[in-house]
Amino acid sequence: MLDANFVEQHLSEEEGKAVMAHLQTNYSHVFSTLSNEALSRLVAETEVESLEAATLTVGQALPDDLLYEQGTTTDVCTLILGGKVTVLAGKDKFKSEVSSWSVLGGQIFQQNEYQPDFSAYVSHGPCRVLRFTKVKYEEVTHTSTNHQQESQQKQSE
């Protein structure tokens, strides 16, 4: 499961369930506003991306192909399924590597405009990721809320 050499456009049902369980258990503070149905839709409808390792030019502090750039507004939350991402955090650019099951940028769902305090790039690719957008998150939240309201109205009739 979650084999980096076998890339499909979307997760299988089993992979989707594993991702949902992981997000609900380990990142409940990020995904707590979503119902099970909405989270299931978000995971199922988000395409799996395979990202190559970033290219760092001699003399450059960071590669041009960043996942996140410190201080630059983003509307994407990334779940790493396989591969490794280098994160440079804070003003001292503390360097660390994150890999499978790590989430970057989860704050996009709680803030109007999120500017990460870190930069990140794929250091060991291919890196298999799910990149949840704020627009998609709001869409599944809205659809889920409307569905719940319709169900409640039918029950009260």
Side-chain angles (χ1 to χ4, degrees), residues 6-141:
F6 183 72
V7 179
E8 286 194 7
Q9 206 168 12
H10 293 277
L11 295 175
S12 69
E13 186 176 338
E14 294 79 24
E15 286 177 317
K17 287 178 182 178
V19 166
M20 280 184 54
H22 175 72
L23 295 176
Q24 289 171 325
T25 302
N26 298 295
Y27 295 96
S28 61
H29 62 285
V30 175
F31 296 95
S32 62
T33 59
L34 290 179
S35 66
N36 284 343
E37 176 189 329
L39 181 57
S40 177
R41 276 195 57 215
L42 180 66
V43 170
E45 294 176 9
T46 300
E47 289 188 15
V48 176
E49 296 181 42
S50 182
L51 307 173
E52 295 302 318
T55 305
L56 188 59
T57 306
V58 175
Q60 253 185 318
L62 292 171
D64 292 329
D65 43 353
L66 295 172
L67 290 174
Y68 295 92
E69 184 173 2
Q70 185 174 16
T72 301
T73 302
T74 185
D75 69 345
V76 177
C77 169
T78 304
L79 169 63
I80 302 167
L81 300 173
K84 290 188 180 177
V85 172
T86 296
V87 176
L88 302 168
K91 66 179 183 175
D92 295 330
K93 307 267 189 264
F94 177 76
K95 187 176 184 177
S96 63
E97 274 195 339
V98 294
S99 59
S100 299
W101 300 109
S102 297
V103 170
L104 297 172
Q107 296 87 336
I108 67 162
F109 305 128
Q110 284 85 32
Q111 298 176 12
N112 287 336
E113 282 195 6
Y114 172 64
Q115 294 182 349
D117 62 351
F118 62 91
S119 294
Y121 59 91
V122 176
S123 50
H124 295 83
C127 188
R128 191 171 180 228
V129 299
L130 288 177
R131 302 198 75 204
F132 306 114
T133 64
K134 189 169 188 169
V135 169
K136 188 64 175 177
Y137 179 91
E138 290 171 350
E139 177 188 313
V140 299
T141 301

